[in-house]
């Protein structure tokens, strides 16, 4: 059975800190790894990674994938209170007609003043 | 402007009732999905439709029946609601497979509470 495991489950940091969120996976027919941010409502898309070693970056957020060791990390530098959210990792697999995503249970990040 | 919309946002109902949730996307995507997110925030795929055809059907009780009248709409009907059906239900859509994009775009969710 496909498995996506995120760690830590929750994290409390002070504004300005740097955090690293982890995602490991065991999935057949792996195609991609995606990160989402979920505040109060819908998950919003952050990154999609398909190749090992290539960093994706957007502002203070960056992510990298290691397909040999089957994991990804999401880094957030200079955290702000607006970064408080649940961060979800998902793995996409090839099904032929749809992008089937298997999600991890998420890391709940709380950034305090 | 809303990309993926769902109605209603909140649904409170008694056990045994039948209810429907509607979803519409204006992104021109071919594929739509229903997810269930439980109280522990675990998001799990239920169904997927590609251009009105059912293509993913996870282990979901047959009380749940999706219907896609056209590729921009995917509705979810639930019969004989049970307490365990209480959750947030998210609709999502994605571009056509083969374009190298797996990202899915989510609606705002429908919080279903069964009493």
């Amino acid at each position: 059975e496909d498995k996506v495991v995120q760690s830590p489950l929750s994290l409390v940091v002070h504004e300005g800190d740097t955090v690293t969120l982890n995602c490991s996976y065991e999935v057949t027919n792996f195609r991609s790894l995606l990160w989402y941010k979920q505040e109060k409502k819908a998950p919003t898309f952050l990154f999609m990674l398909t190749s090992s070693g290539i960093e994706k970056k957007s502002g203070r957020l960056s992510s990298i994938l290691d397909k040999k060791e089957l994991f990804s990390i999401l880094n957030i530098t200079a955290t702000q209170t607006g970064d408080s959210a649940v961060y979800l990792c998902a793995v996409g697999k090839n099904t032929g007609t749809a992008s089937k995503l298997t999600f991890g249970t998420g890391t709940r990040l709380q950034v305090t003043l | 402007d809303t990309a993926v919309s769902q109605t209603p946002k909140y649904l409170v109902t008694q056990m045994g009732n039948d209810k429907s949730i509607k979803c519409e996307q204006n992104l021109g995507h071919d594929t739509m999905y229903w997810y269930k997110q439980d109280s522990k925030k675990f998001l799990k795929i239920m169904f997927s439709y590609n251009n009105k055809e059912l293509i993913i059907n996870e282990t979901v009780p047959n009380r749940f029946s999706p219907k896609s009248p056209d590729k921009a709409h995917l509705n979810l009907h639930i019969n004989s609601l049970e307490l365990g059906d209480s959750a947030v239900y998210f609709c999502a859509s994605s571009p056509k497979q083969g374009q190298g994009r797996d990202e899915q775009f989510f609606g705002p969710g429908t919080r279903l509470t069964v009493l």
Side-chain angles (χ1 to χ4, degrees):
Chain A
E1 190 181 324
D2 297 337
K3 201 188 302 185
V4 179
V5 179
Q6 293 185 245
S7 63
L9 288 180
S10 66
L11 194 52
V12 181
V13 300
H14 292 295
E15 207 173 36
D17 287 351
T18 293
V19 297
T20 298
L21 309 183
N22 304 294
C23 176
S24 64
Y25 61 91
E26 291 175 31
V27 174
T28 54
N29 298 322
F30 173 91
R31 188 166 66 196
S32 61
L33 188 139
L34 298 91
W35 285 97
Y36 283 83
K37 177 182 181 183
Q38 186 175 23
E39 296 174 86
K40 292 195 175 165
K41 292 190 175 178
T44 52
F45 173 72
L46 295 174
F47 297 113
M48 185 178 92
L49 304 117
T50 55
S51 301
S52 277
I54 298 174
E55 186 184 53
K56 290 267 180 118
K57 202 168 166 65
S58 174
R60 296 176 295 101
L61 277 66
S62 63
S63 183
I64 198 157
L65 173 66
D66 186 329
K67 287 165 73 173
K68 186 178 172 189
E69 301 297 330
L70 308 182
F71 78 90
S72 173
I73 59 172
L74 175 68
N75 278 321
I76 309 174
T77 58
T79 51
Q80 301 171 356
T81 54
D83 295 328
S84 297
V86 175
Y87 290 83
L88 297 168
C89 171
V91 174
K93 61 191 290 177
N94 191 347
T95 66
T97 48
S99 72
K100 183 177 176 186
L101 300 184
T102 300
F103 281 84
T105 48
T107 293
R108 182 177 295 277
L109 173 65
Q110 186 180 348
V111 182
T112 62
L113 291 170
Chain B
D1 251 351
T2 306
V4 184
S5 59
Q6 293 178 230
T7 53
K9 288 190 177 155
Y10 300 95
L11 193 47
V12 181
T13 188
Q14 300 286 333
M15 239 174 21
N17 284 349
D18 302 339
K19 288 293 177 188
S20 291
I21 308 171
K22 295 187 176 183
C23 177
E24 177 181 0
Q25 54 96 2
N26 63 7
L27 296 167
H29 289 165
D30 284 351
T31 310
M32 296 183 72
Y33 308 81
W34 277 111
Y35 284 86
K36 179 180 180 181
Q37 188 171 47
D38 61 24
S39 56
K40 293 183 180 176
K41 289 286 197 179
F42 183 57
L43 197 58
K44 189 162 168 50
I45 180 81
M46 298 172 70
F47 300 104
S48 174
Y49 269 73
N50 180 269
N51 207 4
K52 302 194 293 175
E53 182 186 344
L54 180 66
I55 50 172
I56 294 174
N57 185 352
E58 294 295 292
T59 310
V60 176
N62 58 14
R63 299 181 295 103
F64 289 80
S65 51
K67 282 190 175 51
S68 180
D70 56 61
K71 75 173 194 177
H73 296 84
L74 180 62
N75 304 322
L76 183 65
H77 188 76
I78 316 170
N79 288 326
S80 304
L81 279 154
E82 300 178 358
L83 294 176
D85 297 333
S86 295
V88 181
Y89 291 83
F90 285 100
C91 176
S93 71
S94 67
K96 189 174 181 178
Q97 183 139 327
Q99 295 177 349
R101 295 174 60 189
D102 282 342
E103 67 266 34
Q104 297 177 13
F105 298 87
F106 286 80
T110 296
R111 183 175 293 277
L112 171 65
T113 304
V114 183
L115 303 173

